[in-house]
Amino acid sequence: MENLHLIVGLGNPGARYKSTRHNVGFAVVERLAERWRADWSAEKKFQAVLARAEPAGRKVVLCEPQTFMNASGEAVQAVVAFYDVAIARVLVVVDDADLPVGQLRLRPGGSSGGHHGLESIEVHLGTREYARLRVGIGRTEGAREITGHVLGRFDSTESALMDKVLSVAANQAEAWLVAGIQKAMSQFNGIVGDAVNEREDQ
């Protein structure tokens, strides 16, 4: 569909995984859906739940794959193919254990960094040149095995910060949509804090 944008949040479906570190991608697109008053609907043909909106006159589909993280590309490829979405209009929001809690990093492409959800999307789309917004979730210092960490929940201090991070990440996704990726990167990449990412445009 001409000019359609797709914003995908990655996570695992089901109550068991809700609010875990690995599901911050879901949390960001849910924040966008709430802002845009967009309703979610389960669509089995895509193995995903979708919400449709037209913020700032842009047609947008929000997507939460229901395939579990490691097979996220199946759902993303199905939506991209059905709507004929240009890769330049795809944004994937994902957790990143290599970034500290509170850091945002938007890039126009690159490697998966070992993230299985991004690996799956790269395989199914046949490219790594799609935008991805990484949301830092930190990691246990010195730990190599992080499965328990990413499937755990934020502590009370981190949760307060993450509520702000989710809002700023949603702001960054909106900037990507309206102003383009370079502006969104320069304005929002970095650590979310009182003096960061809220400055007026220069």
Side-chain angles (χ1 to χ4, degrees), residues 63-82:
C63 173
E64 291 185 352
Q66 301 295 291
T67 53
F68 287 94
M69 185 69 79
N70 293 4
S72 298
E74 296 176 16
V76 175
Q77 195 276 332
V79 175
V80 166
F82 182 84

Side-chain angles (χ1 to χ4, degrees), residues 64-121:
E64 291 185 352
Q66 301 295 291
T67 53
F68 287 94
M69 185 69 79
N70 293 4
S72 298
E74 296 176 16
V76 175
Q77 195 276 332
V79 175
V80 166
F82 182 84
Y83 288 106
D84 193 23
V85 185
I87 296 300
R89 293 194 175 94
V90 175
L91 172 64
V92 177
V93 187
V94 62
D95 63 288
D96 192 327
D98 291 324
L99 297 179
V101 174
Q103 183 164 346
L104 299 175
R105 182 180 293 166
L106 175 65
R107 290 287 185 269
S111 73
S112 67
H115 193 287
H116 297 315
L118 295 180
E119 288 173 357
S120 177
I121 292 171

Side-chain angles (χ1 to χ4, degrees), residues 33-57:
E34 184 180 347
R35 282 186 186 179
W36 300 340
R37 296 180 174 83
D39 295 323
W40 293 97
S41 61
E43 308 210 14
K44 289 184 178 179
K45 66 182 176 182
F46 299 129
Q47 301 181 80
V49 292
L50 304 182
R52 297 168 179 81
E54 292 193 26

Side-chain angles (χ1 to χ4, degrees), residues 13 16-17 44 49 55 59 64 66 78 107 114 118 121 126 132-133 136-137 142 149 170 176 178 181 186-187:
R16 161 183 189 190
Y17 298 103
K44 289 184 178 179
V49 292
K59 292 182 178 177
E64 291 185 352
Q66 301 295 291
R107 290 287 185 269
L118 295 180
I121 292 171
R132 70 284 309 274
L133 170 54
I137 62 168
H149 177 69
W176 167 82
V178 174
I181 192 166
S186 64
Q187 186 172 358

Side-chain angles (χ1 to χ4, degrees), residues 10-27 30 64-70 95 147-154:
L10 296 190
N12 287 309
R16 161 183 189 190
Y17 298 103
K18 188 171 178 62
S19 301
T20 59
R21 294 171 184 268
H22 220 20
N23 274 36
V24 295
F26 278 11
E30 286 166 8
E64 291 185 352
Q66 301 295 291
T67 53
F68 287 94
M69 185 69 79
N70 293 4
D95 63 288
T147 301
H149 177 69
V150 300
L151 295 181
R153 290 174 168 78
F154 296 99

